[in-house]
């Protein structure tokens, strides 16, 4: 698996250090109020697990399965909600976590849906944000790292379902695609 990685973009230590900072920021922004965290599967799994364990506060975790990418290199532009039932967000302050902000369609669709379902406020946090023009009008409130517009894997991000368990974020070599 490691041999397929052309270069490491954000190494394990950098990620862990940045998560310390993000957790502090979040603690400061949501002081003491009940917080509902919505984790977007499967990409945000690793990021959320490491980030939320740094937040010694009362919170609840819900997960949402959203498909937008279908495992390849390009987004198809349609966002579908795969769960039978969505979490009850009525009157709640919600933090949505995703792995990466790319076109922005996923976060836009999720934020709109949760607000439509009656959430009091929805903020968003991503491990990575690609530098590009977003197809949907959305930016994340909390960003771990800003990266160039290239395809990355690891730390939750996949290529055809693989590489999510790499402890760092890297660029996939041409041969592996
Ligand atoms: P968006 O809706 O285009 O912002 O895309 C968000 C989703 O596309 C993310 O949650 C990822 O699952 C996937 N994605 C976007 N860029 C990458 C990438 O570079 N590597 C792996 N997955 C990606
Ligand atoms: Mg994904």
């Amino acid at each position: 698996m490691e041999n397929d990685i052309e270069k490491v973009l954000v190494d394990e230590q950098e990620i862990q250090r940045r998560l310390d900072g993000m957790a502090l920021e979040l603690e400061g922004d949501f002081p003491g109020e009940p917080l509902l965290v919505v984790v977007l599967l499967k990409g945000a799994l690793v990021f959320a697990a490491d980030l939320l364990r740094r937040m010694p506060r009362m919170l609840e975790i819900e997960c949402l399965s959203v498909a937008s990418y279908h495992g390849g290199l390009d987004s198809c532009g349609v966002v579908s909600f795969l769960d039978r039932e969505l979490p009850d967000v009525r009157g709640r302050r919600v933090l949505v976590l995703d792995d990466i902000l790319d076109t922005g369609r996923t976060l836009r669709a999720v934020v709109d849906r949760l607000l439509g379902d009656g959430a009091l406020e929805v903020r968003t946090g991503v491990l990575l944000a690609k530098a590009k023009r977003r197809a949907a009008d959305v930016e994340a409130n909390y960003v771990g790292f800003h990266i160039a517009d290239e395809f990355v894997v690891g730390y939750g991000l996949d290529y055809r379902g693989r590489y999510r368990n790499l402890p760092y974020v890297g660029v996939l070599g041409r041969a592996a695609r």
Side-chain angles (χ1 to χ4, degrees), residues 57-68:
R57 56 161 306 132
M58 217 51 106
L59 54 75
E60 290 154 62
I61 302 175
E62 293 281 357
C63 295
L64 265 189
S65 287
V66 180
S68 59

Side-chain angles (χ1 to χ4, degrees), residues 9 100 128 130 147 150-154 157-158 169-172:
L9 211 60
I100 190 166
L128 306 169
K130 282 188 190 175
I147 63 168
E150 55 188 342
F151 192 81
V152 293
V153 295
L157 293 119
D158 73 303
V169 173
V171 178
L172 198 58

Side-chain angles (χ1 to χ4, degrees), residues 40-44 66-71 98-100 106 156-158 164:
L40 302 191
L41 298 180
K42 308 179 194 84
V66 180
S68 59
Y69 230 79
H70 303 293
D98 202 2
D99 50 1
I100 190 166
T106 303
L157 293 119
D158 73 303
R164 293 193 200 274

